[in-house]
C-alpha cells in the first residue's frame, strides 16, 4: 500500500458517491480488523490546495483527520473507531501466550481516546470484554492448568486433616 503520498489534489466537487466509497475503503477498510490495520494511514488531504473540506463526506474527513495524528497510533485509532467489538477467536491458536500482548495493545490504545469519541468507561468495558472473550475461548487450558496444579501441589488443608486424624 501507499506509505508516502500525503496529499492528493483534485477537484473534489466532481467525485461521485462511488468514488468517495473507494476513498473510504482506501483510508479505512472496515471489512476486518486486519484490513483496517493495513489501510492507508498516510493520506492527509484530498481536494484543493487550500484545504477546503467542501463536498468531502464526514467519514472521510474523520479518517483524514486521524491520519494527521501520530503515525504510531493511527491504525489503533481506526480499529477502535471502526470495530465496536474485537473478535478474539483468531488469536486462540497462540493460546495464553498472546494474552499479555492483548493487554499491552489495549494499554497502547488508551492514547487514542483523545482522537476517538469514546468514554474511558466504555473503553474499559471493551477491554474487559475482549480479555474475557479471549480467556473464555480457552477454558480447557485454564481447567487443565488448575487440574495439573492440584495434582502437583495438593491442597494444604489435606495435610492438616491427616495430622488432625493422627492425634485422635
Amino acid at each position: 500500500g501507499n506509505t508516502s503520498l500525503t496529499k492528493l489534489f483534485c477537484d473534489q466537487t466532481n467525485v461521485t458517491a462511488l468514488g468517495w466509497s473507494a476513498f473510504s475503503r482506501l483510508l479505512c477498510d472496515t471489512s476486518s480488523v486486519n484490513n483496517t490495520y493495513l489501510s492507508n494511514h498516510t493520506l492527509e488531504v484530498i481536494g484543493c490546495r487550500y484545504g477546503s473540506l467542501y463536498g468531502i463526506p464526514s467519514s472521510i474527513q474523520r479518517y483524514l483527520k486521524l491520519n494527521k495524528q501520530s503515525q504510531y497510533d493511527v491504525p489503533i485509532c481506526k480499529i477502535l473507531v471502526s470495530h465496536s467489538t474485537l473478535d478474539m477467536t483468531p488469536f486462540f491458536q497462540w493460546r495464553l501466550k498472546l494474552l499479555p500482548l492483548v493487554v499491552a495493545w489495549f494499554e497502547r490504545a488508551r492514547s487514542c481516546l483523545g482522537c476517538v469519541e469514546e468514554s474511558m468507561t466504555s473503553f474499559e468495558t471493551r477491554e474487559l470484554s475482549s480479555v474475557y472473550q479471549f480467556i473464555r475461548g480457552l477454558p480447557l487450558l485454564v481447567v487443565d492448568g488448575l487440574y495439573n496444579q492440584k495434582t502437583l501441589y495438593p491442597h494444604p488443608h489435606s495435610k492438616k486433616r491427616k495430622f488432625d486424624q493422627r492425634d485422635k
Side-chain angles (χ1 to χ4, degrees):
N2 171 44
T3 58
S4 59
L5 182 68
T6 58
K7 296 176 175 70
L8 178 63
F9 297 119
C10 63
D11 180 10
Q12 72 259 29
T13 58
N14 293 328
V15 178
T16 65
L18 186 62
W20 288 124
S21 176
F23 273 122
S24 182
R25 276 191 315 279
L26 170 78
L27 291 169
C28 189
D29 183 353
T30 61
S31 61
S32 72
V33 172
N34 194 49
N35 287 347
T36 301
Y37 180 80
L38 296 173
S39 295
N40 179 291
H41 307 301
T42 57
L43 189 60
E44 299 173 0
V45 175
I46 297 175
C48 70
R49 293 183 185 269
Y50 306 110
S52 171
L53 298 175
Y54 177 76
I56 299 177
S58 60
S59 61
I60 293 177
Q61 290 180 27
R62 180 175 27 150
Y63 297 141
L64 294 172
K65 182 180 176 185
L66 282 174
N67 282 356
K68 290 180 183 179
Q69 306 299 322
S70 167
Q71 289 298 315
Y72 184 72
D73 295 335
V74 173
I76 293 174
C77 293
K78 287 183 179 179
I79 289 169
L80 290 176
V81 166
S82 305
H83 303 278
S84 59
T85 57
L86 300 174
D87 181 18
M88 294 288 129
T89 52
F91 303 125
F92 292 169
Q93 63 184 332
W94 290 289
R95 301 178 180 240
L96 291 174
K97 294 175 189 174
L98 202 64
L99 184 59
L101 295 175
V102 170
V103 172
W105 186 89
F106 276 102
E107 285 300 316
R108 243 178 77 196
R110 286 181 189 275
S111 67
C112 292
L113 288 179
C115 306
V116 178
E117 296 172 8
E118 184 171 15
S119 70
M120 182 59 88
T121 304
S122 175
F123 175 80
E124 288 173 344
T125 301
R126 187 192 307 205
E127 177 181 17
L128 185 60
S129 175
S130 296
V131 171
Y132 174 75
Q133 180 189 3
F134 188 85
I135 293 173
R136 184 173 176 179
L138 303 171
L140 294 179
L141 290 176
V142 175
V143 170
D144 286 345
L146 182 62
Y147 176 75
N148 288 337
Q149 279 185 338
K150 283 185 176 181
T151 57
L152 292 175
Y153 308 106
H155 198 275
H157 296 297
S158 62
K159 284 186 179 181
K160 185 177 180 183
R161 285 188 200 126
K162 289 177 185 175
F163 290 130
D164 288 342
Q165 290 173 355
R166 282 190 211 164
D167 293 339
K168 291 183 181 181

